[in-house]
Amino acid sequence: MTGTLPLDGMRVVELSSFVATPLGGMTLAQLGADVIRVDQVGGGPDIDRWPLAPSGRSLYWAGLNKGKRSVTVDLRSPEGREVVAGLVAQSGTVLTNAPQRPGLGYEELKAQRADLIHVQLQGTREGGNAVDYTVNAAMGFPSITGPSGHETPVNHALPAWDVACGLYMTVGLLAAERHRLRTGEGQSLRVALQDVALATAGNLGFLAEAQLGEPRARLGNHLFGDFGRDFVTADGRVMVAVLTARHWRDLVEATGLGEVTGALERALDADFRRAGDRYRHREALGGVLASWFAPRTCAQVADGLTGTSVLWSRYRDFAEVAAGLSDEPLMSVLDQPGIGPHLAPGSPVRIGDASSPPAPAPTLGEHTDEVLREVLSLSPERIEALREGGAIGAS
């Protein structure tokens, strides 16, 4: 991408592991910030997390650290922590979910940089441990996930709260940066994974629904509050969603089932222009529409619904998605050291008409010497002395 990215000139020190904080740092890096990821010498707990490339390198780690610089220090040593504190003091902004170590707490870092912006991820608001999977279980979502009538909790594969939390951390950091630009004041921000999940459950009405009536039941692949469900086709399965009266009208016209659904309306004393009636009678409507989808291939379904407002998609697995990535404008060939060339996403935030291709993730500790020279103005001799003393890792 040519031109200046919005966060050019911002420097962020990231001490992190797992999903939320690395995702937040990568989001900032893709918008132009210089994000310096600091790891323990030898790597943190996610350096070799699955999935792995054939080479044994972590695709997970590489995927969440694109475009950053990597520094390794011995966080257990006073000299290593002093290096990190110096990087934070020079950068002015830190994003972290790392355990608090002597010399690296907010108050200690603020003593070196009064306008420090410090964004800390927590598991719970009280500082307890939590991860996406435990938070999701505690929030009730597994009780409404899965097929109707299923009796035990069903987890989902997407770490939704980690993703949301990482983006909340990014928004909070940028809000604090704006505050600092206006006032010269730094801020301490804390974002708890459990709070993000609780806020989302509340904002979407799940909690009020349970307080004021009854908790939602499992619906399988049905859409709550309107008509939407999966349909089997001659060669696969599709998801169809109706959210407006226009969507419904176009679906009925495209399938040629207007007379049948009209008769059903009269028999049920319903008005299928209304979302509530479509939802209440979803089983009957689904049975009628299933007869249109069942004999058709997915290509024929596409022909029938193209040009309408109907919301639909064919179900695909990851192998099918991966096979079609060359046609996706978000994806570019990324030659990741230790992994090799593969198609990877750039930033989904589009700035004007320009695109921002992905930058490789660093190898662990790749920029240690470079960052210490550039940010801390350390001499080669001082850097070598730190390395010989075990305070920093290899570059």
Side-chain angles (χ1 to χ4, degrees):
M1 177 178 178
T2 59
T4 301
L5 288 167
L7 300 185
D8 278 351
M10 175 186 287
R11 178 175 289 142
V12 179
V13 175
E14 176 192 312
L15 294 114
S16 71
S17 56
F18 307 121
V19 177
T21 310
L23 175 65
M26 186 181 68
T27 300
L28 296 168
Q30 289 179 327
L31 291 172
D34 175 20
V35 178
I36 300 170
R37 174 169 173 140
V38 177
D39 277 294
Q40 174 65 31
V41 174
D46 54 352
I47 187 62
D48 56 359
R49 192 170 300 278
W50 287 25
L52 305 178
S55 64
R57 292 285 298 277
S58 171
L59 296 171
Y60 170 104
W61 197 92
L64 287 170
N65 291 294
K66 294 190 291 289
K68 302 176 187 177
R69 295 200 281 178
S70 174
V71 170
T72 53
V73 303
D74 182 5
L75 292 164
R76 293 168 297 212
S77 74
E79 294 83 1
R81 295 194 297 271
E82 184 179 344
V83 167
V84 177
L87 292 175
V88 172
Q90 291 298 319
S91 302
T93 306
V94 62
L95 190 70
T96 181
N97 69 320
Q100 293 296 312
R101 298 177 183 270
L104 297 181
Y106 170 67
E107 293 297 338
E108 296 163 297
L109 293 171
K110 183 183 177 184
Q112 297 188 45
R113 176 78 184 243
D115 65 347
L116 175 67
I117 294 172
H118 186 278
V119 185
Q120 174 78 47
L121 171 66
Q122 299 174 302
T124 68
R125 177 175 287 232
E126 296 77 22
N129 292 330
V131 295
D132 189 285
Y133 309 100
T134 61
V135 164
N136 192 58
M139 286 298 109
F141 284 92
S143 68
I144 65 169
T145 303
S148 178
H150 191 77
E151 294 184 357
T152 59
V154 177
N155 292 332
H156 56 75
L158 176 69
W161 310 124
D162 277 332
V163 173
C165 203
L167 298 178
Y168 267 112
M169 293 176 76
T170 302
V171 171
L173 185 149
L174 295 176
E177 170 70 9
R178 186 174 188 275
H179 177 79
R180 182 167 63 185
L181 288 172
R182 291 190 298 111
T183 68
E185 298 174 350
Q187 288 184 320
S188 170
L189 293 83
R190 289 170 292 171
V191 182
L193 192 66
Q194 188 171 25
D195 282 354
V196 168
L198 186 62
T200 304
N203 294 338
L204 295 179
F206 287 98
L207 301 181
E209 179 185 27
Q211 293 175 70
L212 302 175
E214 294 183 0
R216 192 173 305 180
R218 283 193 172 95
L219 295 172
N221 287 334
H222 285 280
L223 171 66
F224 178 75
D226 209 320
F227 181 77
R229 53 161 284 179
D230 60 321
F231 290 98
V232 175
T233 70
D235 61 349
R237 191 179 292 265
V238 297
M239 178 67 193
V240 177
V242 170
L243 298 174
T244 69
R246 181 190 174 195
H247 294 159
W248 175 251
R249 183 183 68 245
D250 283 3
L251 178 61
V252 170
E253 290 180 359
T255 58
L257 294 171
E259 289 188 13
V260 178
T261 57
L264 192 59
E265 274 184 310
R266 293 188 292 274
L268 297 171
D269 191 24
D271 181 354
F272 293 149
R273 293 172 299 180
R274 296 198 295 255
D277 282 5
R278 293 193 294 267
Y279 176 68
R280 278 187 286 272
H281 301 295
R282 60 189 180 278
E283 296 291 355
L285 291 175
V288 169
L289 287 162
S291 64
W292 185 85
F293 288 93
R296 289 172 168 79
T297 65
C298 288
Q300 290 171 324
V301 169
D303 289 340
L305 298 182
T306 296
T308 74
S309 67
V310 179
L311 305 169
W312 77 280
S313 180
R314 183 173 68 86
Y315 282 89
R316 299 189 292 172
D317 60 27
F318 283 122
E320 291 177 282
V321 176
L325 291 180
S326 59
D327 296 326
E328 292 289 346
L330 179 66
M331 312 297 289
S332 300
V333 175
L334 177 66
D335 191 359
Q336 176 64 45
I339 292 175
H342 63 289
L343 286 165
S347 173
V349 179
R350 290 177 291 166
I351 303 169
D353 296 326
S355 60
S356 181
T363 56
L364 187 66
E366 176 182 350
H367 303 99
T368 302
D369 288 17
E370 172 186 296
V371 167
L372 298 191
R373 287 195 308 268
E374 176 187 323
V375 181
L376 297 184
S377 302
L378 298 187
S379 68
E381 294 77 16
R382 177 56 181 156
I383 293 172
E384 187 57 33
L386 287 168
R387 180 164 292 116
E388 290 180 355
I392 64 173
S395 187

